Amino acid sequence: MFWADKIAESAQGEQIVNDSKTPSGRVHVGSLRGVIIHDVIYRALKHAGKPVKFMYGVDDYDALDTVPSYLDREKFAPFLGYPLCNVPSPDDKATDYAKYFMGEFLEVFDYLGVKPEIYYLRDLYRTGQLNPYIDTFLQNSHLVREAYKEVSKADRPSNWYPFHTICENCGKIATTVVTDYNGKEVFYTCEPNATNYVNGCGHSGWISPFDGNGKLPWKVEWVAKWQLVGVTIELAGKDHSQKGGSRDVANAICRKVLHKNPPFHSPYEFILVNGTKMSSSKGVGSAAKEIAELLPPELLRFLMLRTQPKSVINFAPNYETTTRLFRDYDTLIEKYQGVTPESGEDPKQDKELQPLFYSQLTDEVKTYQPFDFSTLISLLQVPHLDIKEEIQKRCEQPLTDTDWEVLHQRIESAQKWLDDYADEEEKLVLYFDEIPAQVQELTDEQVTYLGELAKNLEVAESWDGETLQTIIFSTSKGLDMKPNNAFPAVYLTFMGKSRGPKAGNLLSYLDKAFVLERIRGAVALKQGAAV
């Protein structure tokens, strides 16, 4: 049984699945893991026939704590420490900073078929919905302090209260410290040294904590959201889920102050880029929107779901990782299409196929005739080639409208990868008008090999990639030559470098007469230079 179906099976009564995000900058692709995990739990509960809602909170009352590298620091530095919803938008497409970056992220939600009910913390604070919880936590600040101390060993002074006002003088929320509460107002000071990234103005005074005048610290706010929204299921990333970490503190506050059990929780791992955790504010890794522009939605969902939530995903949009993702997905599609009703098999019970079902935008698996993504990348780089005609020629069966729909999407993905992610050494640069100068690097053994290869290719009965790959390999075997010496000879002859795509495929993209002429020309050039 798939992990989400196990959660759904054990759930009792109405369920509220919740996730949230602080829109501090471009939302990185790592944040999509939580989105997809919670969406799949929501879908699993629906499939199980259980009443469920999926909620997604925007923590836009959090402070702007850094200026991302891609923004104008001079413009945004004055707003450090402000609530994100009070920071201006980078452009006129949104009313404020938080709406700008969250709007970009929500476009990815739509793309992936994720449809939660969205709520903004600014609205919960400003409309007074959080007022009762603010009062409860302020009245019981000693219990909140105890929870911090017991769980995370964090000492809070006896006059510390769990609240940050928005300073009436400078507008910052990150620098205010509350030290008293009389049941109606809190006393605060905008401390000059409260944070290491912005200074408070020193102002102090009494102010009502209600109706949007400030916010709860996020671990306390987390508990308030659970109760207000009615959350029953909310998972958290590994960083928040460690022993004594944020989730443990929130759980303790929930039990100690509100005398209620926290929502169901299970940790999930990070998405790494070459071993580094992504950060939206530091600009490390790829933005969710950028990856959504690269990968079709089912493939992006599959990226998140083919790995168990408690296992790390190490993702980088390089050639090997990207082409393997498409290849693995196509393999599952072919396996799914091979399961027939007559076989008596239930594909939903096949452990390998289970991620495929939740990778879809709907409840139906979108099937098609797979076409190798790495071949598309190569075909797009061959000049004067009719890509559609070449694809049709290489397919065993006539292509349906659905096949072409998938192919058009993948052609766009392949071109996007070439334009934005391909390293120069990964690009297929073919020499059509001249023989690469690098053929002078060919050894005598490689020249002999190319001569034999031309003879064998001339009598090839078919000009498809697999046939040509067999000929390239068998020619080296016939000369008792190692493949890692033979294949570079082919690449040097056509690309001027010693590595490239699958050699048989490479030659299949080209006209047979041109291939034979080029190989013989390279041999003649090298032999002439040796005379």
Side-chain angles (χ1 to χ4, degrees), residues 330 332-340 366-370:
D330 286 348
L332 292 188
I333 286 292
E334 289 181 316
K335 181 176 181 179
Y336 174 79
Q337 292 180 130
V339 177
T340 62
K366 185 178 182 179
T367 59
Y368 54 88
Q369 184 178 168

Side-chain angles (χ1 to χ4, degrees), residues 151-223:
V151 177
S152 64
K153 312 305 179 188
D155 268 321
R156 296 287 189 275
S158 59
N159 65 342
W160 177 87
Y161 285 78
F163 198 74
H164 296 286
T165 62
I166 298 174
C167 179
E168 300 161 282
N169 183 56
C170 70
K172 299 184 185 75
I173 199 170
T175 53
T176 56
V177 177
V178 171
T179 54
D180 200 0
Y181 178 53
N182 62 18
K184 292 184 178 180
E185 294 182 317
V186 293
F187 184 81
Y188 75 96
T189 302
C190 189
E191 295 282 359
N193 300 315
T195 75
N196 59 6
Y197 62 87
V198 69
N199 296 324
C201 68
H203 177 76
S204 62
W206 289 89
I207 189 174
S208 168
F210 306 123
D211 301 329
N213 286 335
K215 74 182 294 292
L216 296 162
W218 81 269
K219 294 171 191 174
V220 184
E221 180 183 81
W222 205 357
V223 179

Side-chain angles (χ1 to χ4, degrees), residues 88-101 103:
S89 171
D91 65 22
D92 58 5
K93 295 178 182 177
T95 57
D96 55 74
Y97 188 99
K99 285 284 181 76
Y100 176 86
F101 285 110

Side-chain angles (χ1 to χ4, degrees), residues 323-465:
T323 56
R324 185 171 64 245
L325 178 67
F326 279 87
R327 187 166 58 250
D328 290 349
Y329 186 84
D330 286 348
T331 297
L332 292 188
I333 286 292
E334 289 181 316
K335 181 176 181 179
Y336 174 79
Q337 292 180 130
V339 177
T340 62
E342 293 77 17
S343 68
E345 298 177 73
D346 181 358
K348 291 186 178 180
Q349 299 306 314
D350 187 314
K351 188 175 181 180
E352 189 180 12
L353 286 176
Q354 285 169 351
L356 183 64
F357 292 97
Y358 284 115
S359 295
Q360 308 306 304
L361 303 191
T362 66
D363 290 336
E364 297 294 324
V365 176
K366 185 178 182 179
T367 59
Y368 54 88
Q369 184 178 168
F371 190 89
D372 183 59
F373 188 69
S374 61
T375 299
L376 278 180
I377 289 175
S378 298
L379 291 176
L380 284 170
Q381 298 177 80
V382 179
H384 316 304
L385 188 73
D386 186 321
I387 185 76
K388 293 183 180 180
E389 182 180 322
E390 192 66 25
I391 289 170
Q392 184 70 76
K393 186 171 68 177
R394 291 167 179 271
C395 290
E396 295 180 1
Q397 303 293 331
L399 292 163
T400 66
D401 290 343
T402 301
D403 293 335
W404 275 117
E405 180 185 340
V406 172
L407 277 165
H408 285 309
Q409 196 172 42
R410 292 195 172 193
I411 289 169
E412 290 182 9
S413 294
Q415 190 62 59
K416 182 71 175 177
W417 183 85
L418 284 167
D419 293 341
D420 295 349
Y421 297 97
D423 293 332
E424 286 305 312
E425 59 267 24
E426 292 175 319
K427 291 184 179 180
L428 177 64
V429 180
L430 292 165
Y431 285 72
F432 281 92
D433 300 326
E434 60 183 7
I435 297 174
Q438 289 83 353
V439 298
Q440 298 296 346
E441 301 171 14
L442 293 169
T443 65
D444 291 343
E445 183 184 32
Q446 287 175 320
V447 171
T448 300
Y449 166 75
L450 288 174
E452 287 300 308
L453 180 61
K455 295 176 185 177
N456 293 336
L457 289 174
E458 187 170 21
V459 296
E461 295 181 358
S462 176
W463 200 253
D464 64 274

